Amino acid sequence: NGLITRAMLVTVLYRAEGEPEVTGTATFKDIDGNAYYAKAVVWGQQNGIIMGYSDTEFAPDQNITREQIAAIMHRYANYKGYDVSVGENTNILSYTDFNSISGYAVSAMQYAVGSGFMKGKSDTTLNPQDNATRAEIAAILHRFIEANK
């Protein structure tokens, strides 16, 4: 039930890719070049998988929200060449908290829910601003992998 950080998620994806060699450094000023996640952040940034809060701030140790997971997984799916059109017709308006989804994350949440790798916290809520637990991310990643076999 522990929480997962932004750095942890990008590190999981980087390791799933076999830790490909990276060159250069991240443009985010809050990334310690010696941190366990440094290469993962460089890889994620260079491949358009992660975005920062600004051009210079990634906030690696901040707990990740469900909508941030959806956005990163949507970009990762694009990076992998997976079909992300499944979300285009997904109606997230039926969730009572759809209006709490940040503008940048709407299409990513549609994709996440439409493809089935992200479930609502209940039948009527998505809780996009909630921090995700390690158990939740394990379930999300498992469903993501299964959906893209």
Side-chain angles (χ1 to χ4, degrees), residues 2-40:
L3 298 176
I4 186 168
T5 66
R6 291 167 52 82
M8 287 177 186
L9 179 58
V10 72
T11 300
V12 167
L13 297 177
Y14 175 67
R15 289 179 179 166
E17 289 299 308
E19 299 183 50
E21 200 57 41
V22 296
T23 57
T25 58
T27 62
F28 304 118
K29 304 290 185 222
D30 59 352
I31 301 300
D32 176 352
N34 296 317
Y36 76 89
Y37 54 76
K39 288 183 180 179

mmCIF file of all heavy atoms in Angstrom, residues 2-40:
data_model
loop_
_atom_site.group_PDB
_atom_site.id
_atom_site.type_symbol
_atom_site.label_atom_id
_atom_site.label_comp_id
_atom_site.label_asym_id
_atom_site.label_seq_id
_atom_site.Cartn_x
_atom_site.Cartn_y
_atom_site.Cartn_z
ATOM 1 N N GLY A 2 2.156 1.112 -0.117
ATOM 2 C CA GLY A 2 3.014 2.294 -0.200
ATOM 3 C C GLY A 2 2.747 3.055 -1.485
ATOM 4 O O GLY A 2 2.232 2.513 -2.470
ATOM 5 N N LEU A 3 3.084 4.330 -1.475
ATOM 6 C CA LEU A 3 2.859 5.164 -2.647
ATOM 7 C C LEU A 3 4.038 5.052 -3.616
ATOM 8 O O LEU A 3 5.142 4.688 -3.231
ATOM 9 C CB LEU A 3 2.649 6.616 -2.224
ATOM 10 C CG LEU A 3 1.429 6.851 -1.327
ATOM 11 C CD1 LEU A 3 1.367 8.307 -0.889
ATOM 12 C CD2 LEU A 3 0.147 6.446 -2.025
ATOM 13 N N ILE A 4 3.786 5.383 -4.859
ATOM 14 C CA ILE A 4 4.813 5.337 -5.895
ATOM 15 C C ILE A 4 5.099 6.767 -6.357
ATOM 16 O O ILE A 4 4.185 7.589 -6.439
ATOM 17 C CB ILE A 4 4.397 4.423 -7.072
ATOM 18 C CG1 ILE A 4 5.532 4.269 -8.073
ATOM 19 C CG2 ILE A 4 3.123 4.897 -7.709
ATOM 20 C CD1 ILE A 4 5.319 3.168 -9.086
ATOM 21 N N THR A 5 6.359 7.036 -6.641
ATOM 22 C CA THR A 5 6.751 8.374 -7.080
ATOM 23 C C THR A 5 6.848 8.430 -8.601
ATOM 24 O O THR A 5 6.877 7.405 -9.287
ATOM 25 C CB THR A 5 8.109 8.781 -6.488
ATOM 26 O OG1 THR A 5 9.125 7.924 -7.022
ATOM 27 C CG2 THR A 5 8.094 8.725 -4.963
ATOM 28 N N ARG A 6 6.972 9.643 -9.089
ATOM 29 C CA ARG A 6 7.125 9.869 -10.534
ATOM 30 C C ARG A 6 8.406 9.183 -11.041
ATOM 31 O O ARG A 6 8.406 8.574 -12.110
ATOM 32 C CB ARG A 6 7.140 11.366 -10.808
ATOM 33 C CG ARG A 6 5.784 12.013 -10.551
ATOM 34 C CD ARG A 6 5.821 13.533 -10.495
ATOM 35 N NE ARG A 6 6.463 14.177 -11.614
ATOM 36 C CZ ARG A 6 5.900 14.433 -12.790
ATOM 37 N NH1 ARG A 6 4.637 14.085 -12.997
ATOM 38 N NH2 ARG A 6 6.564 15.043 -13.750
ATOM 39 N N ALA A 7 9.476 9.280 -10.270
ATOM 40 C CA ALA A 7 10.737 8.649 -10.663
ATOM 41 C C ALA A 7 10.613 7.129 -10.701
ATOM 42 O O ALA A 7 11.182 6.472 -11.575
ATOM 43 C CB ALA A 7 11.861 9.058 -9.713
ATOM 44 N N MET A 8 9.881 6.567 -9.754
ATOM 45 C CA MET A 8 9.719 5.111 -9.717
ATOM 46 C C MET A 8 9.032 4.595 -10.977
ATOM 47 O O MET A 8 9.447 3.594 -11.547
ATOM 48 C CB MET A 8 8.922 4.691 -8.484
ATOM 49 C CG MET A 8 9.649 4.799 -7.187
ATOM 50 S SD MET A 8 8.502 4.351 -5.843
ATOM 51 C CE MET A 8 9.515 4.733 -4.419
ATOM 52 N N LEU A 9 7.960 5.279 -11.413
ATOM 53 C CA LEU A 9 7.240 4.800 -12.597
ATOM 54 C C LEU A 9 8.117 4.847 -13.839
ATOM 55 O O LEU A 9 8.179 3.875 -14.594
ATOM 56 C CB LEU A 9 5.949 5.578 -12.826
ATOM 57 C CG LEU A 9 5.164 5.134 -14.077
ATOM 58 C CD1 LEU A 9 4.811 3.647 -14.017
ATOM 59 C CD2 LEU A 9 3.925 5.977 -14.263
ATOM 60 N N VAL A 10 8.816 5.940 -14.067
ATOM 61 C CA VAL A 10 9.657 6.021 -15.266
ATOM 62 C C VAL A 10 10.792 5.001 -15.189
ATOM 63 O O VAL A 10 11.193 4.441 -16.208
ATOM 64 C CB VAL A 10 10.166 7.454 -15.530
ATOM 65 C CG1 VAL A 10 11.214 7.894 -14.546
ATOM 66 C CG2 VAL A 10 10.696 7.580 -16.944
ATOM 67 N N THR A 11 11.264 4.696 -13.992
ATOM 68 C CA THR A 11 12.312 3.686 -13.834
ATOM 69 C C THR A 11 11.790 2.297 -14.178
ATOM 70 O O THR A 11 12.480 1.510 -14.835
ATOM 71 C CB THR A 11 12.884 3.721 -12.406
ATOM 72 O OG1 THR A 11 13.430 5.027 -12.163
ATOM 73 C CG2 THR A 11 13.967 2.687 -12.210
ATOM 74 N N VAL A 12 10.567 1.992 -13.765
ATOM 75 C CA VAL A 12 9.960 0.697 -14.109
ATOM 76 C C VAL A 12 9.867 0.551 -15.630
ATOM 77 O O VAL A 12 10.227 -0.494 -16.194
ATOM 78 C CB VAL A 12 8.574 0.554 -13.450
ATOM 79 C CG1 VAL A 12 7.794 -0.617 -14.038
ATOM 80 C CG2 VAL A 12 8.712 0.400 -11.947
ATOM 81 N N LEU A 13 9.402 1.584 -16.307
ATOM 82 C CA LEU A 13 9.266 1.517 -17.770
ATOM 83 C C LEU A 13 10.631 1.405 -18.441
ATOM 84 O O LEU A 13 10.796 0.634 -19.403
ATOM 85 C CB LEU A 13 8.496 2.733 -18.287
ATOM 86 C CG LEU A 13 7.058 2.859 -17.788
ATOM 87 C CD1 LEU A 13 6.418 4.137 -18.318
ATOM 88 C CD2 LEU A 13 6.235 1.639 -18.167
ATOM 89 N N TYR A 14 11.593 2.145 -17.954
ATOM 90 C CA TYR A 14 12.964 2.111 -18.492
ATOM 91 C C TYR A 14 13.553 0.706 -18.344
ATOM 92 O O TYR A 14 14.152 0.172 -19.271
ATOM 93 C CB TYR A 14 13.809 3.153 -17.759
ATOM 94 C CG TYR A 14 15.268 3.172 -18.100
ATOM 95 C CD1 TYR A 14 15.713 3.553 -19.359
ATOM 96 C CD2 TYR A 14 16.218 2.849 -17.138
ATOM 97 C CE1 TYR A 14 17.070 3.596 -19.658
ATOM 98 C CE2 TYR A 14 17.574 2.898 -17.427
ATOM 99 C CZ TYR A 14 17.992 3.269 -18.689
ATOM 100 O OH TYR A 14 19.338 3.317 -18.972
ATOM 101 N N ARG A 15 13.359 0.120 -17.204
ATOM 102 C CA ARG A 15 13.874 -1.241 -16.972
ATOM 103 C C ARG A 15 13.126 -2.255 -17.831
ATOM 104 O O ARG A 15 13.721 -3.220 -18.312
ATOM 105 C CB ARG A 15 13.800 -1.581 -15.493
ATOM 106 C CG ARG A 15 14.818 -0.783 -14.690
ATOM 107 C CD ARG A 15 14.761 -1.070 -13.215
ATOM 108 N NE ARG A 15 15.770 -0.282 -12.515
ATOM 109 C CZ ARG A 15 15.795 -0.113 -11.212
ATOM 110 N NH1 ARG A 15 14.872 -0.679 -10.442
ATOM 111 N NH2 ARG A 15 16.744 0.620 -10.652
ATOM 112 N N ALA A 16 11.834 -2.041 -18.047
ATOM 113 C CA ALA A 16 11.066 -2.939 -18.920
ATOM 114 C C ALA A 16 11.591 -2.907 -20.352
ATOM 115 O O ALA A 16 11.479 -3.883 -21.082
ATOM 116 C CB ALA A 16 9.582 -2.552 -18.890
ATOM 117 N N GLU A 17 12.191 -1.778 -20.723
ATOM 118 C CA GLU A 17 12.783 -1.634 -22.059
ATOM 119 C C GLU A 17 14.206 -2.185 -22.125
ATOM 120 O O GLU A 17 14.861 -2.075 -23.155
ATOM 121 C CB GLU A 17 12.779 -0.166 -22.482
ATOM 122 C CG GLU A 17 11.414 0.369 -22.803
ATOM 123 C CD GLU A 17 10.755 -0.357 -23.962
ATOM 124 O OE1 GLU A 17 11.379 -0.485 -25.038
ATOM 125 O OE2 GLU A 17 9.614 -0.811 -23.787
ATOM 126 N N GLY A 18 14.686 -2.739 -21.023
ATOM 127 C CA GLY A 18 16.028 -3.310 -21.010
ATOM 128 C C GLY A 18 17.120 -2.295 -20.698
ATOM 129 O O GLY A 18 18.284 -2.523 -21.009
ATOM 130 N N GLU A 19 16.748 -1.186 -20.094
ATOM 131 C CA GLU A 19 17.680 -0.120 -19.735
ATOM 132 C C GLU A 19 18.579 0.285 -20.909
ATOM 133 O O GLU A 19 19.798 0.175 -20.851
ATOM 134 C CB GLU A 19 18.529 -0.515 -18.520
ATOM 135 C CG GLU A 19 17.696 -0.778 -17.282
ATOM 136 C CD GLU A 19 18.520 -1.088 -16.052
ATOM 137 O OE1 GLU A 19 19.458 -0.324 -15.757
ATOM 138 O OE2 GLU A 19 18.217 -2.096 -15.393
ATOM 139 N N PRO A 20 17.966 0.766 -21.981
ATOM 140 C CA PRO A 20 18.757 1.155 -23.152
ATOM 141 C C PRO A 20 19.766 2.256 -22.812
ATOM 142 O O PRO A 20 19.531 3.070 -21.910
ATOM 143 C CB PRO A 20 17.720 1.661 -24.155
ATOM 144 C CG PRO A 20 16.510 1.959 -23.363
ATOM 145 C CD PRO A 20 16.545 1.081 -22.158
ATOM 146 N N GLU A 21 20.862 2.252 -23.513
ATOM 147 C CA GLU A 21 21.903 3.263 -23.304
ATOM 148 C C GLU A 21 21.343 4.647 -23.606
ATOM 149 O O GLU A 21 20.588 4.818 -24.549
ATOM 150 C CB GLU A 21 23.096 2.966 -24.222
ATOM 151 C CG GLU A 21 24.385 3.606 -23.793
ATOM 152 C CD GLU A 21 24.828 3.227 -22.383
ATOM 153 O OE1 GLU A 21 24.710 2.056 -22.000
ATOM 154 O OE2 GLU A 21 25.254 4.141 -21.665
ATOM 155 N N VAL A 22 21.697 5.609 -22.778
ATOM 156 C CA VAL A 22 21.277 6.987 -22.988
ATOM 157 C C VAL A 22 22.512 7.875 -23.041
ATOM 158 O O VAL A 22 23.556 7.556 -22.481
ATOM 159 C CB VAL A 22 20.318 7.493 -21.880
ATOM 160 C CG1 VAL A 22 19.026 6.701 -21.887
ATOM 161 C CG2 VAL A 22 20.961 7.437 -20.516
ATOM 162 N N THR A 23 22.370 8.966 -23.754
ATOM 163 C CA THR A 23 23.440 9.953 -23.795
ATOM 164 C C THR A 23 22.865 11.286 -23.339
ATOM 165 O O THR A 23 21.674 11.545 -23.476
ATOM 166 C CB THR A 23 24.024 10.109 -25.215
ATOM 167 O OG1 THR A 23 22.964 10.471 -26.109
ATOM 168 C CG2 THR A 23 24.666 8.817 -25.684
ATOM 169 N N GLY A 24 23.724 12.107 -22.798
ATOM 170 C CA GLY A 24 23.283 13.417 -22.346
ATOM 171 C C GLY A 24 22.688 13.355 -20.953
ATOM 172 O O GLY A 24 22.777 12.339 -20.256
ATOM 173 N N THR A 25 22.079 14.433 -20.568
ATOM 174 C CA THR A 25 21.456 14.526 -19.256
ATOM 175 C C THR A 25 20.052 15.095 -19.422
ATOM 176 O O THR A 25 19.717 15.660 -20.455
ATOM 177 C CB THR A 25 22.254 15.466 -18.318
ATOM 178 O OG1 THR A 25 22.338 16.757 -18.923
ATOM 179 C CG2 THR A 25 23.653 14.919 -18.062
ATOM 180 N N ALA A 26 19.270 14.928 -18.390
ATOM 181 C CA ALA A 26 17.925 15.502 -18.397
ATOM 182 C C ALA A 26 18.032 17.017 -18.282
ATOM 183 O O ALA A 26 18.968 17.535 -17.676
ATOM 184 C CB ALA A 26 17.113 14.942 -17.229
ATOM 185 N N THR A 27 17.100 17.709 -18.866
ATOM 186 C CA THR A 27 17.107 19.167 -18.776
ATOM 187 C C THR A 27 16.489 19.647 -17.466
ATOM 188 O O THR A 27 16.554 20.832 -17.164
ATOM 189 C CB THR A 27 16.349 19.811 -19.954
ATOM 190 O OG1 THR A 27 14.988 19.393 -19.910
ATOM 191 C CG2 THR A 27 16.988 19.433 -21.275
ATOM 192 N N PHE A 28 15.903 18.742 -16.716
ATOM 193 C CA PHE A 28 15.310 19.103 -15.434
ATOM 194 C C PHE A 28 16.414 19.370 -14.418
ATOM 195 O O PHE A 28 17.311 18.557 -14.233
ATOM 196 C CB PHE A 28 14.398 17.983 -14.921
ATOM 197 C CG PHE A 28 13.315 17.591 -15.889
ATOM 198 C CD1 PHE A 28 13.268 16.301 -16.395
ATOM 199 C CD2 PHE A 28 12.349 18.498 -16.282
ATOM 200 C CE1 PHE A 28 12.273 15.918 -17.281
ATOM 201 C CE2 PHE A 28 11.338 18.125 -17.166
ATOM 202 C CZ PHE A 28 11.303 16.837 -17.672
ATOM 203 N N LYS A 29 16.312 20.489 -13.746
ATOM 204 C CA LYS A 29 17.335 20.889 -12.772
ATOM 205 C C LYS A 29 17.233 20.103 -11.469
ATOM 206 O O LYS A 29 18.181 20.081 -10.685
ATOM 207 C CB LYS A 29 17.236 22.389 -12.472
ATOM 208 C CG LYS A 29 17.345 23.268 -13.710
ATOM 209 C CD LYS A 29 18.732 23.267 -14.282
ATOM 210 C CE LYS A 29 18.821 24.242 -15.440
ATOM 211 N NZ LYS A 29 19.564 23.748 -16.551
ATOM 212 N N ASP A 30 16.098 19.460 -11.226
ATOM 213 C CA ASP A 30 15.922 18.737 -9.969
ATOM 214 C C ASP A 30 16.261 17.247 -10.076
ATOM 215 O O ASP A 30 15.869 16.443 -9.238
ATOM 216 C CB ASP A 30 14.507 18.933 -9.422
ATOM 217 C CG ASP A 30 13.405 18.470 -10.362
ATOM 218 O OD1 ASP A 30 13.699 18.128 -11.527
ATOM 219 O OD2 ASP A 30 12.237 18.469 -9.931
ATOM 220 N N ILE A 31 17.022 16.883 -11.098
ATOM 221 C CA ILE A 31 17.450 15.498 -11.273
ATOM 222 C C ILE A 31 18.922 15.373 -10.900
ATOM 223 O O ILE A 31 19.785 15.987 -11.530
ATOM 224 C CB ILE A 31 17.232 15.009 -12.726
ATOM 225 C CG1 ILE A 31 15.771 15.113 -13.109
ATOM 226 C CG2 ILE A 31 17.757 13.589 -12.915
ATOM 227 C CD1 ILE A 31 14.818 14.308 -12.244
ATOM 228 N N ASP A 32 19.192 14.595 -9.878
ATOM 229 C CA ASP A 32 20.564 14.308 -9.463
ATOM 230 C C ASP A 32 21.124 13.277 -10.436
ATOM 231 O O ASP A 32 20.574 12.179 -10.572
ATOM 232 C CB ASP A 32 20.548 13.772 -8.034
ATOM 233 C CG ASP A 32 21.916 13.341 -7.523
ATOM 234 O OD1 ASP A 32 22.896 13.309 -8.308
ATOM 235 O OD2 ASP A 32 22.012 13.024 -6.323
ATOM 236 N N GLY A 33 22.199 13.619 -11.113
ATOM 237 C CA GLY A 33 22.791 12.734 -12.110
ATOM 238 C C GLY A 33 23.243 11.394 -11.570
ATOM 239 O O GLY A 33 23.454 10.449 -12.329
ATOM 240 N N ASN A 34 23.378 11.264 -10.253
ATOM 241 C CA ASN A 34 23.803 10.007 -9.635
ATOM 242 C C ASN A 34 22.647 9.208 -9.051
ATOM 243 O O ASN A 34 22.854 8.132 -8.507
ATOM 244 C CB ASN A 34 24.824 10.291 -8.524
ATOM 245 C CG ASN A 34 26.095 10.895 -9.083
ATOM 246 O OD1 ASN A 34 26.610 10.460 -10.104
ATOM 247 N ND2 ASN A 34 26.592 11.925 -8.427
ATOM 248 N N ALA A 35 21.435 9.719 -9.148
ATOM 249 C CA ALA A 35 20.270 9.038 -8.575
ATOM 250 C C ALA A 35 19.945 7.772 -9.363
ATOM 251 O O ALA A 35 20.247 7.668 -10.558
ATOM 252 C CB ALA A 35 19.070 9.983 -8.574
ATOM 253 N N TYR A 36 19.319 6.823 -8.697
ATOM 254 C CA TYR A 36 18.963 5.561 -9.342
ATOM 255 C C TYR A 36 18.095 5.784 -10.575
ATOM 256 O O TYR A 36 18.082 4.978 -11.496
ATOM 257 C CB TYR A 36 18.250 4.619 -8.364
ATOM 258 C CG TYR A 36 16.812 4.981 -8.084
ATOM 259 C CD1 TYR A 36 15.777 4.481 -8.878
ATOM 260 C CD2 TYR A 36 16.476 5.846 -7.041
ATOM 261 C CE1 TYR A 36 14.456 4.827 -8.629
ATOM 262 C CE2 TYR A 36 15.157 6.190 -6.795
ATOM 263 C CZ TYR A 36 14.157 5.680 -7.583
ATOM 264 O OH TYR A 36 12.848 6.031 -7.342
ATOM 265 N N TYR A 37 17.361 6.853 -10.617
ATOM 266 C CA TYR A 37 16.415 7.117 -11.701
ATOM 267 C C TYR A 37 16.956 8.045 -12.781
ATOM 268 O O TYR A 37 16.264 8.330 -13.748
ATOM 269 C CB TYR A 37 15.123 7.719 -11.128
ATOM 270 C CG TYR A 37 15.366 8.947 -10.281
ATOM 271 C CD1 TYR A 37 15.655 10.184 -10.852
ATOM 272 C CD2 TYR A 37 15.317 8.872 -8.889
ATOM 273 C CE1 TYR A 37 15.889 11.300 -10.081
ATOM 274 C CE2 TYR A 37 15.539 9.991 -8.103
ATOM 275 C CZ TYR A 37 15.833 11.202 -8.699
ATOM 276 O OH TYR A 37 16.067 12.305 -7.944
ATOM 277 N N ALA A 38 18.185 8.519 -12.652
ATOM 278 C CA ALA A 38 18.711 9.546 -13.566
ATOM 279 C C ALA A 38 18.655 9.106 -15.035
ATOM 280 O O ALA A 38 18.164 9.842 -15.886
ATOM 281 C CB ALA A 38 20.129 9.935 -13.176
ATOM 282 N N LYS A 39 19.159 7.921 -15.341
ATOM 283 C CA LYS A 39 19.149 7.452 -16.735
ATOM 284 C C LYS A 39 17.721 7.230 -17.232
ATOM 285 O O LYS A 39 17.414 7.486 -18.395
ATOM 286 C CB LYS A 39 19.968 6.177 -16.883
ATOM 287 C CG LYS A 39 21.458 6.410 -16.779
ATOM 288 C CD LYS A 39 22.222 5.127 -16.995
ATOM 289 C CE LYS A 39 23.718 5.375 -16.900
ATOM 290 N NZ LYS A 39 24.490 4.136 -17.085
ATOM 291 N N ALA A 40 16.859 6.766 -16.348
ATOM 292 C CA ALA A 40 15.456 6.539 -16.729
ATOM 293 C C ALA A 40 14.785 7.851 -17.099
ATOM 294 O O ALA A 40 14.029 7.918 -18.071
ATOM 295 C CB ALA A 40 14.707 5.853 -15.585
#
